Amino acid sequence: MIASTLKSIANIFHHHLPFLSDMLERRDPFRPDHVQLAKSLVEKGTMVCAGPYADTSGAMFIFKGVDPEYIEKEFVQKDSYFTAGLVPSHKIQEWSVLIGAQNLGGGVSKL
């Protein structure tokens, strides 16, 4: 019950991408397309923000107003890091934002 209530309020997903250990050495030819795709999704309003972890072990992408199928179709299947094999796995998870949802363009949870 709570999960479905939160989903209708925020509909925010975080997308975790772990990187290969030699990512920094291998990414350069693929980086411009990767960055352009992310920027285009931000412009569409479906991606809120994205970036690598400070330790370069991976990255996180925050999406709003979409579902996991959209993320798979519009990001994973088109992203040059995925097609080049630089991302060995990924996880899309719904995120129930309880505090600060208005900063992401979502409503505030009533919990």
Side-chain angles (χ1 to χ4, degrees), residues 83-103:
T83 59
L86 300 178
V87 180
S89 64
H90 68 105
K91 181 177 182 180
I92 300 168
Q93 188 166 359
E94 189 166 12
W95 183 25
S96 297
V97 180
L98 297 176
I99 300 169
Q102 68 276 11
N103 296 330

Side-chain angles (χ1 to χ4, degrees), residues 3 14 21 29 36 47 49 65 70-71 73-74 88 90 98 104:
H14 69 81
S21 60
Q36 183 54 47
M47 182 183 290
C49 59
Y70 175 92
I71 299 168
K73 181 181 175 189
E74 297 300 323
H90 68 105
L98 297 176
L104 297 173

Side-chain angles (χ1 to χ4, degrees), residues 58-76:
M60 181 175 291
F61 296 74
I62 305 295
F63 290 85
K64 71 173 182 176
V66 298
D67 57 30
E69 291 78 21
Y70 175 92
I71 299 168
E72 286 284 344
K73 181 181 175 189
E74 297 300 323
F75 184 70
V76 175

Side-chain angles (χ1 to χ4, degrees), residues 3-4 9 15 26 40 45 54 58 65 69 79 82 90 95-96 105 111:
S4 63
I9 293 170
H15 187 199
R26 296 177 55 190
S40 74
E69 291 78 21
D79 183 50
F82 280 95
H90 68 105
W95 183 25
S96 297
L111 286 181

